[in-house]
Amino acid sequence: MASNHALALDWAWSTTPATTAALVAGGAYSVAAVGAATALPASYALLVGGVGAAAQAGADLYQRRPACHTAARCAAWLATGGWTAVTLAGHTALTWNATGWWAAGTAAGMTLARGLVRAEQTARSERASRRLQKWANNQAKEWHERLARLFRLTEHEVEGVKPWTADVGYTVRVRMPSDTPELPADAVRKLAVDLRLPKGGGIQIVDGEMYGEIHIRVTAKDVLAETIDYPDDLTATSIYQRIELGLLTDAEPADFPLADVCALEIGQTGSGKSNLINVTNAQLLRTVDAVVWHLDVTGAGISLPWLRSWAIDGTSDVPLIDWTADTVEEAHIMLDVAIAGINTRKAAYQDLMHEVDDDKIPVSPDVPAIILVVDEIAELPYEILAKLDTVVDTGRAARLRTFISGLRATQDVITAAMKKQSRARIGLRVSDPEELHHLFPTGGTRLDPKAAAHKGSGFLSAPDEDDVDSEPGPFKCYRIKPKRINVIAPQLADRRPAVDAVTLDTEPGRYYASRWGRILPRLYKNKTLSPTTHPYTEMETLWPPLDAATGLPATSAKPDKATKTDTHAGRGEGTPARTTRFGSEALAALLETPRTATSTKEAGGDADESDVIRAEFGRVVQQAGVPADRPHPVPQLLTDAHNAVVAAGGRMHTADLAVVLDMERLMLGTELGKLLREVGIERPGKGTVRAGKDGEPKPGYQAETLAAAIRAYTTHNGQ
């Protein structure tokens, strides 16, 4: 099991003025009592009191405290020294008379110290307020003249100037004239030039709280250029609290809610997207009422840093990430469990919702929310995206929400459901401004990618505290590194809740318990797993049977022993699961009718053998039933390419496919492109796929795309 963490000594000592006075008085009494027994000269006490008074006078003079306050503090030192000297001379420290005077002096000193500090704090606040008011008045006057000079305004009024946190800028509130409710389009540039803002500074003009009012936000310091380390604060939070990603340009928190809404993040390679996901993970794992699931079929990169303390180091007793889908097969299982759980939760927790008078389940450590973090959505096949859309559309009341991340903000990457239901949107650095406009339809046309050009910076739009969607604004994400993750992971593991039994009381839910038995051998092939993983792997590992026609996991039906044996033949204990890509939804539809005919024949019917389509894990092996005098509806090149891509694992670069088919690469791309266009099939992600040993993104093909084309040709030719 995980090692226990020893308590660390805390040498920090915070005292109030009253406790400081009490400590000094206690020290004087101790000196008087011990000194009387050891014949300590009384002059020593007078010397200490005099030195203390002199030091106090010097400190007060340096801090510019009022003279009367200085005199009171020096008198307290002299009184303490005098009482100690008299007590030492008379050897009367332990008498009631001396103790009574000591107690009275101590009480007076504590009261005096508290009163002096409060008076000084009030005086400092008043001085700071006067300085701030004087600065604001001067700024308001300058801005009134500046607006009149640059834009020829005459009836405008500068109603206030408010500085920001950390002295990085300020906001000017302006009431515009009725005939000029807005500033011209070039106002931002003119104001920035007139103010001579440094590089990294900027101007942002937003609408105020009422019509005719504008707020001019002036950034005098570039917060986005600095690296902001992830905060040390790891106190427990709730999913009802906002998820803080970093800082806005005014040094205020850049945060968004995730209990009721979904989130969508977009950023090109090298923009800091993975770091932002790790920051999101850290903030989610601080909660005590949310379970985190990951879906990343490109190697579970978003999970590995958070699993290390449990799977390798053994410093965490439980996995911080409750479930990781690292393959398409595991993703199907996870999403089937999620969808079934949504339906079960809505019915099972009706009494709980009635008790709190809400149409959404109240979350707690016993009934936690489930947050599904998804990375690289462009790499997911159609069936997975369809199930994700179901979760996004139906999971709000059941408290199952998503944080989805992708490389591009284009229609071929983001589905309509993801975009419409994700009110929290994050756009990191992108190549084309049009992608920001697609991600942020409201206010996106005014976004300039140069305003968030630094790595780890971007734009954030999310519902505010009043559930009103905010305009997208620049922000800088915190920086969290792997070693920092490994340090905080054991501290966060202690507060991880477990998925409630109601969510898992479904047919797909039976595959949840043995999830790590399927996943860990794939993730850590050549590494020795920590003993902390044994409670999760020392059980029978369940593998869902694969549908004979589609190759997809059949999690909603009871496993058939024969099917299960055939499907997973040769899979021994600890052997990684099959990661072959599945056939697409289109291919499943193509095979549906013939499969029914086959079932009829097995039941004793007279189905015609020529109607049977035989398939193996999404690959068309043999198709009969085409008359000899009629050409096959599917072009041979398309069939050969589909079979080759399926055999290679579901994805294949064009160059590698050309070698297998013994064709020239450019000719293969041209011919396959014509075949796909003829039936209106487009390749996701502009034709780029991750394949091969290194997973490098290059032009290529997915088995799902070619399967959709096969179905289209068959349907087009009346088959």
Side-chain angles (χ1 to χ4, degrees):
M1 301 301 289
S3 59
N4 294 327
H5 304 288
L7 295 177
L9 292 176
D10 184 6
W11 295 99
W13 194 2
S14 300
T15 60
T16 64
T19 55
T20 301
L23 290 173
V24 173
Y29 194 91
S30 300
V31 170
V34 176
T38 57
L40 180 68
S43 58
Y44 283 16
L46 294 175
L47 177 62
V48 172
V51 171
Q56 184 69 63
D60 288 1
L61 181 64
Y62 176 78
Q63 297 178 17
R64 298 182 179 181
R65 287 172 172 165
C68 59
H69 291 196
T70 302
R73 287 188 172 90
C74 291
W77 274 102
L78 294 175
T80 303
W83 176 88
T84 307
V86 172
T87 305
L88 285 173
H91 301 281
T92 58
L94 301 180
T95 64
W96 285 111
N97 184 50
T99 303
W101 281 107
W102 173 84
T106 300
M110 294 175 64
T111 303
L112 177 65
R114 184 185 294 111
L116 291 177
V117 169
R118 287 182 177 177
E120 291 167 0
Q121 289 176 345
T122 302
R124 280 196 297 268
S125 299
E126 292 177 351
R127 289 195 298 270
S129 179
R130 287 194 296 269
R131 286 195 301 268
L132 180 59
Q133 188 62 51
K134 183 179 179 180
W135 173 86
N137 291 339
N138 292 336
Q139 285 289 332
K141 181 180 179 181
E142 292 178 7
W143 271 94
H144 189 278
E145 297 173 352
R146 179 177 292 113
L147 294 174
R149 172 168 45 85
L150 294 178
F151 310 112
R152 299 182 180 180
L153 300 179
T154 56
E155 298 180 2
H156 63 290
E157 181 179 348
V158 178
E159 296 182 332
V161 180
K162 181 180 179 181
W164 297 345
T165 305
D167 194 27
V168 297
Y170 56 91
T171 299
V172 183
R173 190 171 72 251
V174 182
R175 187 172 65 184
M176 298 293 290
S178 300
D179 57 348
T180 312
E182 296 181 351
L183 293 178
D186 60 347
V188 170
R189 184 172 182 82
K190 283 186 176 181
L191 290 172
V193 172
D194 189 73
L195 289 169
R196 294 293 188 267
L197 292 179
K199 185 178 181 181
I203 299 288
Q204 185 183 15
I205 301 176
V206 298
D207 294 331
E209 298 177 356
M210 61 182 65
Y211 288 111
E213 180 181 281
I214 63 171
H215 292 177
I216 304 175
R217 299 169 58 83
V218 182
T219 304
K221 180 181 178 181
D222 191 3
V223 177
L224 306 186
E226 302 178 358
T227 299
I228 310 173
D229 291 331
Y230 183 79
D232 294 330
D233 183 14
L234 297 178
T235 55
T237 60
S238 169
I239 194 61
Y240 288 119
Q241 297 176 239
R242 298 174 70 87
I243 305 299
E244 185 174 330
L245 295 178
L247 298 180
L248 300 171
T249 53
D250 57 1
E252 292 293 329
D255 52 24
F256 65 95
L258 202 54
D260 293 325
V261 305
C262 293
L264 180 62
E265 176 216 358
I266 296 298
Q268 67 182 19
T269 301
S271 63
K273 183 169 63 68
S274 297
N275 176 74
L276 188 144
I277 294 178
N278 279 328
V279 170
T280 304
N281 284 333
Q283 299 291 49
L284 290 174
L285 294 172
R286 286 179 58 190
T287 64
V288 298
D289 51 12
V291 172
V292 182
W293 290 357
H294 280 177
L295 198 163
D296 180 8
V297 300
T298 60
I302 63 175
S303 304
L304 293 176
W306 298 98
L307 294 176
R308 181 182 180 87
S309 65
W310 168 68
I312 301 299
D313 298 339
T315 54
S316 300
D317 290 331
V318 299
L320 277 80
I321 308 304
D322 185 68
W323 194 351
T324 294
D326 60 318
T327 65
V328 173
E329 182 179 14
E330 194 69 27
H332 275 288
I333 302 172
M334 174 185 287
L335 292 175
D336 286 346
V337 173
I339 294 171
I342 290 174
N343 300 330
T344 303
R345 275 189 161 199
K346 289 180 179 179
Y349 291 122
Q350 282 296 313
D351 291 342
L352 190 59
M353 290 187 281
H354 178 77
E355 182 179 342
V356 298
D357 195 21
D358 195 357
D359 56 0
K360 299 177 292 297
I361 297 174
V363 298
S364 65
D366 296 327
V367 186
I370 299 177
I371 306 300
L372 178 57
V373 181
V374 185
D375 193 21
E376 303 293 0
I377 57 174
E379 303 297 320
L380 300 177
Y382 302 121
E383 299 89 353
I384 296 295
L385 294 177
K387 292 181 180 181
L388 267 177
D389 285 350
T390 300
V391 173
V392 169
D393 287 335
T394 64
R396 181 172 181 264
R399 299 298 191 184
L400 203 155
R401 298 285 74 191
T402 62
F403 181 95
I404 298 176
S405 177
L407 293 173
R408 305 192 64 194
T410 55
Q411 291 181 350
D412 58 336
V413 174
I414 305 174
T415 67
M418 294 176 188
K419 182 180 177 182
K420 295 297 183 182
Q421 301 297 342
S422 298
R423 294 178 60 195
R425 302 181 184 184
I426 306 163
L428 299 181
R429 188 169 59 197
V430 295
S431 301
D432 301 323
E434 290 76 12
E435 295 191 37
L436 292 178
H437 302 163
H438 180 70
L439 182 63
F440 302 108
T442 302
T445 55
R446 298 194 297 269
L447 292 182
D448 181 6
K450 295 181 181 178
H454 302 286
K455 184 176 181 179
S457 61
F459 298 91
L460 170 65
S461 173
D464 59 17
E465 299 291 349
D466 298 323
D467 200 35
V468 177
D469 292 339
S470 64
E471 294 286 338
F475 80 101
K476 181 61 177 284
C477 184
Y478 293 133
R479 181 72 171 106
I480 186 169
K481 298 181 179 180
K483 289 186 178 179
R484 170 74 171 147
I485 293 175
N486 216 38
V487 169
I488 68 176
Q491 304 175 54
L492 301 178
D494 295 337
R495 66 186 68 161
R496 293 291 80 227
V499 180
D500 57 298
V502 169
T503 301
L504 302 178
D505 189 19
T506 61
E507 289 191 41
R510 65 180 179 272
Y511 298 104
Y512 170 84
S514 61
R515 62 199 184 282
W516 293 113
R518 298 188 300 269
I519 298 167
L520 289 180
R522 293 194 297 262
L523 295 183
Y524 302 100
K525 297 181 178 65
N526 301 319
K527 293 186 178 181
T528 301
L529 296 177
S530 167
T532 54
T533 64
H534 294 171
Y536 297 85
T537 57
E538 292 179 345
M539 64 179 71
E540 181 185 1
T541 302
L542 296 182
W543 306 88
L546 301 180
D547 188 281
T550 65
L552 303 181
T555 60
S556 58
K558 295 297 182 182
D560 181 78
K561 293 183 178 180
T563 305
K564 183 174 180 180
T565 303
D566 295 341
T567 304
H568 301 287
R571 180 183 291 177
E573 183 179 356
T575 304
R578 295 181 64 177
T579 57
T580 309
R581 304 285 177 174
F582 309 114
S584 68
E585 184 178 357
L587 185 59
L590 169 65
L591 303 180
E592 185 64 31
T593 301
R595 185 180 60 176
T596 303
T598 305
S599 301
T600 303
K601 182 176 180 179
E602 291 176 353
D606 298 327
D608 186 3
E609 177 68 23
S610 63
D611 289 335
V612 175
I613 298 178
R614 295 191 177 89
E616 177 183 308
F617 211 60
R619 174 185 176 188
V620 177
V621 179
Q622 177 182 354
Q623 178 174 346
V626 179
D629 58 348
R630 186 169 63 189
H632 198 284
V634 181
Q636 185 64 39
L637 176 60
L638 185 60
T639 303
D640 293 344
H642 176 265
N643 291 338
V645 172
V646 170
R651 296 164 186 247
M652 202 171 188
H653 292 149
T654 305
D656 298 333
L657 181 59
V659 173
V660 173
L661 299 181
D662 194 20
M663 293 181 64
E664 200 274 331
R665 181 176 61 85
L666 293 178
M667 179 175 291
L668 173 63
T670 301
E671 293 301 321
L672 273 181
K674 290 180 180 179
L675 295 177
L676 295 178
R677 287 193 298 272
E678 186 173 340
V679 289
I681 300 297
E682 295 184 2
R683 290 186 289 169
K686 302 299 183 182
T688 301
V689 300
R690 294 179 181 270
K693 295 181 179 180
D694 54 359
E696 185 178 356
K698 293 181 180 179
Y701 297 89
Q702 298 183 22
E704 292 83 358
T705 304
L706 300 176
I710 291 176
R711 178 184 179 279
Y713 271 101
T714 305
T715 304
H716 179 71
N717 288 274
Q719 298 299 319

